[in-house]
Amino acid sequence: MKIQVTINGREIPLERRIVLTGEGMYMAGRLLYFVLKTLHQMPRLYGVVESDPISGWKRNFETKFASIMSSHLEPGKIRLEGEFKLNLGKFLVSGKVSRGQMKVNVELVQKPENVFQGLRGMVEVDSFYFSDLERPRPFFVPGSKDGFLAGFHRFLVLQTESASGIPKTLGMVSEFINSIVLPQGYTTSVRGRTLSTDEKEGLFLDGEPLYNVDPELLSLLSLRLSLDMAPEGSVLIVEDPEAHLSPETVEEVRRWFDRFRGSVVFVSRFNTFGGEEIRL
């Protein structure tokens, strides 16, 4: 079944284009991002043998989910407040984040029958719940995307001696920058201008360092790179997608999103690119 996500009491149907709006839209969009990211990164849970494999698997899932999500929030002191619920068919995951504390609960809707004890039983239970589990990968594009791209463009290029990227202590900036990894020699064309990589200096547009590029082009490049990096079936969460875009540019970007083969969740006060509005 398709994953069903509820954030702060409002269902977010990922099978169609959504616009989160209202006073709580940014908090809701970021909570959605980290919940989906945690689910995507959940490992298989049969390494610890429990006397009761079913209740043991449930307990391990709750502990691991909270641990992974906390590992993303704590280094960058990312503040989230809210509740979430995932309907994953055979089981439900619900949780609450408040004042740096997190609580996660799993409800098993279906249970496997005639489960063996020991390691074999743990493998059986884990396979039962993970066999058809949908875990889309989320990508996050912040509202200040143009400034972040200009300031951190050197970290987008995959290096030969070490991985590209910036530390998690930079919070939402690192979530955006680290989702874009470009190989050396990468080039693409935007509005007839060539974006290319340099191993030591980062990204250049027609030979000009990215920090010299105007805001509208930087916003275009941010959206283009995020769309290019997000694979089919992923979830793209974009804050203020219309920022710095002229009416003519909006039409150009609209065509990009129309071609994207994944889910798109806009976080904005304006329904610029179309979609079902959900007020938070």
Side-chain angles (χ1 to χ4, degrees):
M1 63 168 288
K2 285 288 184 181
I3 180 176
Q4 295 178 359
V5 188
T6 301
I7 299 292
N8 293 337
R10 298 299 304 273
E11 183 178 347
I12 313 296
L14 299 179
E15 68 274 9
R16 52 187 181 270
R17 189 173 298 180
I18 295 298
V19 182
L20 301 184
T21 188
E23 293 185 2
M25 61 183 186
Y26 294 113
M27 187 71 74
R30 296 181 181 194
L31 180 57
L32 172 65
Y33 169 74
F34 283 109
V35 167
L36 291 178
K37 182 174 183 177
T38 301
L39 178 65
H40 179 76
Q41 294 182 344
M42 279 294 295
R44 303 300 294 266
L45 301 172
Y46 49 76
V48 179
V49 178
E50 301 276 356
S51 57
D52 182 350
I54 295 178
S55 62
W57 187 91
K58 173 184 180 295
R59 185 166 53 252
N60 289 339
F61 194 102
E62 292 169 341
T63 301
K64 194 64 176 179
F65 195 98
S67 175
I68 293 175
M69 192 161 167
S70 295
S71 72
H72 294 308
L73 301 179
E74 291 173 358
K77 294 180 172 60
I78 298 172
R79 183 180 67 87
L80 291 182
E81 297 283 337
E83 299 179 353
F84 63 89
K85 186 174 183 178
L86 299 170
N87 185 341
L88 303 172
K90 295 177 180 177
F91 65 105
L92 308 176
V93 182
S94 58
K96 182 177 181 180
V97 185
S98 180
R99 300 181 182 275
Q101 301 297 314
M102 186 180 312
K103 182 179 181 181
V104 177
N105 180 69
V106 169
E107 178 184 345
L108 302 179
V109 178
Q110 301 178 33
K111 297 181 180 181
E113 299 179 352
N114 303 318
V115 175
F116 286 87
Q117 297 297 308
L119 180 59
R120 180 177 176 180
M122 291 298 294
V123 173
E124 286 179 338
V125 173
D126 189 69
S127 297
F128 178 81
Y129 289 112
F130 267 89
S131 60
D132 54 357
L133 182 61
E134 182 186 9
R135 296 189 290 167
R137 181 182 176 185
F139 288 78
F140 177 77
V141 184
S144 302
K145 52 189 177 298
D146 50 347
F148 293 159
L149 184 66
F152 295 95
H153 71 93
R154 292 188 179 186
F155 298 93
L156 298 181
V157 185
L158 188 64
Q159 302 297 314
T160 54
E161 297 181 357
S162 61
S164 61
I166 57 179
K168 284 186 176 182
T169 51
L170 292 176
M172 301 310 297
V173 183
S174 65
E175 296 297 328
F176 170 55
I177 294 298
N178 293 343
S179 69
I180 304 172
V181 178
L182 303 175
Q184 296 175 27
Y186 171 89
T187 61
T188 190
S189 178
V190 177
R191 288 189 166 181
R193 303 182 66 177
T194 301
L195 180 71
S196 58
T197 61
D198 180 277
E199 180 179 352
K200 296 181 179 180
E201 299 298 326
L203 293 182
F204 286 79
L205 189 67
D206 287 345
E208 188 78 10
L210 228 57
Y211 49 73
N212 287 336
V213 177
D214 67 79
E216 182 174 63
L217 262 177
L218 280 171
S219 290
L220 267 177
L221 293 170
S222 300
L223 293 171
R224 176 65 175 272
L225 290 174
S226 296
L227 284 163
D228 286 351
M229 294 301 107
E232 182 176 347
S234 56
V235 179
L236 192 62
I237 300 169
V238 188
E239 294 181 343
D240 301 323
E242 69 286 333
H244 295 132
L245 302 185
S246 65
E248 296 77 14
T249 304
V250 164
E251 290 305 312
E252 180 180 357
V253 175
R254 189 194 304 273
R255 292 192 292 271
W256 293 356
F257 283 118
D258 288 342
R259 292 194 296 267
F260 179 59
R261 295 184 176 181
S263 301
V264 180
V265 178
F266 296 123
V267 181
S268 175
R269 292 181 174 84
F270 309 98
N271 196 339
T272 305
F273 297 99
E276 177 185 339
E277 292 190 20
I278 298 177
R279 183 166 294 276
L280 293 142

